Amino acid sequence: MPKSMRSMLVALAMMTATCAGAQSIKINVDEHDVAIGGYDTVAYFTLGKPTKGDGRYEIRWEDAHWRFASAQHRDMFVRDPDRYAPRFGGFCALGMSRGYLSIVDPEAWRVVDGRLFLAVDKKGMESVREAPPDALDKAEKNWQTLGRR
């Protein structure tokens, strides 16, 4: 069996094990079920910038297609999706703090305490930065109900 095929089978097995028994969350997807506009969620952490993913390095997690810029990024996500997946399923952090789900601009982002947060636009991300300290606590509370399928 070719190495690339073997690596893909290992990745699929890991994804199945990771998802087994977990409660399903809502993910912000487009009309083709692609998460966060096809951006590579691992790149925010490793490259420090938004980077479009490549369909060659795509996996399915939480009923969404996640694209990555490289096989290495894909494999990092497979090993620890909770570390790299955007908080609130990729919905706007400010919207979540106000009690609603909102689309995002993957270019409007911030990593806080090791978690990726996205916003509706860059102005919205500034609002997230300037929000009262309890705004993320409110968002977390709202996510408990809004984020479940």
Side-chain angles (χ1 to χ4, degrees):
M1 178 183 311
K3 183 178 179 181
S4 62
M5 179 62 115
R6 187 172 37 247
S7 136
M8 190 55 123
L9 288 173
V10 168
L12 289 172
M14 290 173 69
M15 289 306 293
T16 301
T18 300
C19 294
Q23 186 174 11
S24 191
I25 61 171
K26 289 181 185 174
I27 301 293
N28 195 353
V29 296
D30 66 14
E31 64 275 6
H32 303 290
D33 291 331
V34 175
I36 64 169
Y39 279 71
D40 177 346
T41 188
V42 175
Y44 292 96
F45 297 91
T46 60
L47 304 176
K49 64 180 182 176
T51 305
K52 282 293 252 182
D54 184 321
R56 293 178 298 170
Y57 309 113
E58 181 178 290
I59 61 163
R60 190 151 175 89
W61 180 72
E62 290 288 352
D63 292 330
H65 297 277
W66 297 82
R67 294 184 180 157
F68 303 91
S70 68
Q72 178 186 16
H73 283 189
R74 178 199 61 211
D75 295 347
M76 290 170 69
F77 185 87
V78 166
R79 283 191 296 276
D80 197 356
D82 291 329
R83 176 178 179 192
Y84 295 109
R87 191 69 191 120
F88 311 129
F91 290 98
C92 177
L94 184 62
M96 189 61 59
S97 73
R98 295 176 178 169
Y100 59 87
L101 301 174
S102 179
I103 61 168
V104 296
D105 174 358
E107 299 277 335
W109 65 283
R110 183 173 182 202
V111 174
V112 178
D113 295 329
R115 296 303 313 254
L116 173 62
F117 293 90
L118 300 170
V120 66
D121 56 26
K122 290 180 182 176
K123 184 178 178 184
M125 184 49 69
E126 288 304 316
S127 295
V128 169
R129 287 184 177 134
E130 297 166 3
D134 67 336
L136 284 181
D137 292 337
K138 288 179 185 177
E140 291 291 345
K141 183 177 178 183
N142 289 335
W143 180 243
Q144 296 307 308
T145 53
L146 292 173
R148 304 294 171 217
R149 285 191 226 196

